[in-house]
Amino acid sequence: MKRKVLSFIALSLLAAACHPAKQPTLAPETIYQEPGVSVITSFFNNRQQTISTLYGNAEALKAARGDSNMVAGAVYRLITWKQKGNPLWFGGNINGAVKTIESIQVSGDGVTHYALVSGVATGAPAERTKFVLGLKASVFP
Amino acid sequence: MGSISLKKASKTTIITVIVVVLMISLQFSSPTIQHPPITGAFNGPDSVTAILKRACYDCHSNETRVAWYHKIAPISWLVAADVKAARSRLNFSQWDSLPAADQQGMRWYIENIVEQGRMPLAAYTAVHSSARISAADTRILKNYVLAVASPKPAAATRAAAKPATPGTLPVAPNGIAYTPDYKNWKVISTTNRFDNGTMRVIYGNDIAVKAIQQGKIRPWPNGAIIAKVVWNQQPADQDGNILTGDFNNVQLMFRDDKKFKDTGGWGYARFNGTALAPYGKTPMFSQTCASCHRLAADNGFVFDIPTKK
């Protein structure tokens, strides 16, 4: 009896201490991992329900902080994810699965090379290149 | 046989007498719940106020309804402690004393803490079934926070793109120093907030990214660091793109289950503006960070990690 009472108390304490154990299934594949590039800027679009982050190499980052993004050697990667509500906070949105990966390189002669690395095209290469090269760097401290 | 049961009986009597005497003497030091004046009551739509009055006011206002059994020690101790703690965190009778921005933040906090079933306290609803929150109540609260919130987008431009990083790194009141190292880490998620008109990029150091890849975030390994960079939003352009506006702040979380035991194993720090002014007046500031981050207990107290759903 004593044992029963004790285990009952222990169980209720456990139940009270542990919030329902439901760790969500993680999605590490949505993390973009390419050495040598860092964040230039980010943006989102509620009409498309997408979130995007623009990465670039050192040349691209420098260019996006200046007046012109047409700098030889600049490499850009634009990752666009589906946007979804934050499961743990009503009031916020977070990126979901990757939708598209776009790549732009500026070669020595000022010529640009566009490639849709993954996903379905959302615009003509010339249009997309113009848009990406027009993005300015976010302010970092 | 008779003498044994007599002995037993007298033992029980003695214990009963001791307990009764103890209980009575406890009553002399039993706390009484004060009802200070209502200085600036919460004023929202009647449907919302009705929910809060029913489910929260006994603890989070100066209008605590005290039942007779609340006056009996040791129950009185527990109730008084709850009411004291609850009023110190959030008091609907002094709602007006919160700055407008804090009221705005608190409304969303209330909606989320209720939606997750963390408030009202379960021990309370077990006894006060009328305080339970229904799905309809949650809908009312959701519509309310959405209706009140419409943060104005920042200016259409952003300030100078190259603020100088200060020579010495600023330090938060709890001793945590700012680090610019995150700029070389991986981005674990990109987010935006419609409750306060900001947008964010969240970075993790190698230990944090590895923990996500291995699914080992409960608890997160010591040494994991997460950084969140926050910007104001610009108004949408003609295609609906919302770009970053002015830089707002950087927030950091350092994992060390021993050093930061009091705040759930995470050390919190926040640095405001391009001057990176440390946030918080005393080390206690990090308790408010940790309190709200309990809503992300499912993720080891981190909200913004990539998940399937």
Side-chain angles (χ1 to χ4, degrees), chain A residues 23 26, chain B residues 188 204-226 253-260 264-267 299-302 305:
Chain A
Q23 176 181 316
L26 302 182
Chain B
I188 57 174
N205 67 352
D206 285 345
I207 298 176
V209 171
K210 211 169 136 203
I212 295 173
Q213 283 166 335
Q214 300 179 338
K216 291 195 177 132
I217 59 161
R218 285 216 336 218
W220 287 75
N222 282 342
I225 312 175
I226 293 171
M253 289 169 68
F254 290 76
R255 183 74 198 175
D256 186 328
D257 58 354
K258 292 196 183 61
K259 200 165 156 197
F260 303 120
W266 285 103
N299 284 0
F301 308 114
V302 181
I305 50 173

Side-chain angles (χ1 to χ4, degrees), chain A residues 33 84 90 93 137 139 141, chain B residues 112 158 183 192 213 231 309:
Chain A
Q33 309 216 41
K84 63 176 188 180
F90 177 65
N93 292 316
V139 181
Chain B
N112 277 283
R158 44 178 98 130
K183 289 173 192 169
N192 59 74
Q213 283 166 335
W231 294 273
K309 264 207 191 138

Side-chain angles (χ1 to χ4, degrees), chain A residues 41-42 137-140, chain B residues 153-161 197-199 230-235 242-248:
Chain A
T41 190
S42 63
S138 287
V139 181
F140 278 87
Chain B
T157 51
R158 44 178 98 130
T198 57
M199 49 200 289
V230 183
W231 294 273
N232 300 328
Q233 297 173 12
Q234 290 192 36
I242 296 178
L243 309 181
T244 60
D246 289 337
F247 167 80
N248 192 315

Side-chain angles (χ1 to χ4, degrees), chain A residues 6-139:
Chain A
L6 275 180
S7 60
F8 173 75
I9 293 175
L11 271 178
S12 0
L13 279 177
L14 259 178
C18 303
H19 182 61
K22 46 168 181 176
Q23 176 181 316
T25 316
L26 302 182
E29 69 278 6
T30 65
I31 299 175
Y32 188 67
Q33 309 216 41
E34 180 183 342
V37 296
S38 50
V39 174
I40 295 178
T41 190
S42 63
F43 56 95
F44 65 101
N45 191 311
N46 287 330
R47 275 185 230 159
Q48 313 289 338
Q49 282 298 308
T50 55
I51 293 183
S52 307
T53 297
L54 178 66
Y55 294 81
N57 64 359
E59 285 84 351
L61 190 59
K62 200 165 155 238
R65 284 183 182 150
D67 297 329
S68 162
N69 282 14
M70 282 288 268
V71 169
V75 171
Y76 298 88
R77 306 275 192 252
L78 181 63
I79 321 300
T80 299
W81 297 267
K82 288 194 186 101
Q83 171 169 279
K84 63 176 188 180
N86 191 317
L88 298 173
W89 184 264
F90 177 65
N93 292 316
I94 185 167
N95 68 278
V98 175
K99 227 179 147 196
T100 58
I101 299 178
E102 296 167 274
S103 161
I104 293 164
Q105 306 208 18
V106 183
S107 57
D109 46 12
V111 174
T112 58
H113 310 270
Y114 174 92
L116 179 66
V117 179
S118 103
V120 178
T122 56
E127 206 184 294
R128 298 299 296 159
T129 303
K130 188 167 171 246
F131 171 69
V132 171
L133 293 186
L135 291 168
K136 289 280 149 219
S138 287
V139 181

Side-chain angles (χ1 to χ4, degrees), chain B residues 92-157:
Chain B
F92 288 109
S93 303
Q94 298 168 4
W95 180 261
D96 272 1
S97 67
L98 285 178
D102 292 1
Q103 290 184 4
Q104 175 72 354
M106 188 51 93
R107 282 191 202 97
W108 289 86
Y109 191 6
I110 289 170
E111 194 287 327
N112 277 283
I113 211 167
V114 168
E115 191 180 343
Q116 287 203 15
R118 290 182 171 256
M119 285 284 155
L121 295 175
Y124 174 79
T125 45
V127 187
H128 302 80
S129 55
S130 65
R132 292 208 182 109
I133 299 283
S134 66
D137 294 337
T138 312
R139 262 197 309 279
I140 291 173
L141 292 178
K142 267 196 160 133
N143 288 337
Y144 168 61
V145 292
L146 281 171
V148 182
S150 45
K152 276 203 212 88
T157 51

Side-chain angles (χ1 to χ4, degrees), chain B residues 145-218:
Chain B
V145 292
L146 281 171
V148 182
S150 45
K152 276 203 212 88
T157 51
R158 44 178 98 130
K162 271 184 289 177
T165 300
T168 53
L169 298 177
V171 180
N174 55 353
I176 295 180
Y178 171 77
T179 168
D181 292 351
Y182 64 84
K183 289 173 192 169
N184 303 316
W185 299 345
K186 296 283 172 297
V187 172
I188 57 174
S189 63
T190 307
T191 73
N192 59 74
R193 298 268 296 255
F194 51 90
D195 56 355
N196 62 19
T198 57
M199 49 200 289
R200 295 108 193 276
V201 170
I202 293 92
Y203 296 80
N205 67 352
D206 285 345
I207 298 176
V209 171
K210 211 169 136 203
I212 295 173
Q213 283 166 335
Q214 300 179 338
K216 291 195 177 132
I217 59 161
R218 285 216 336 218

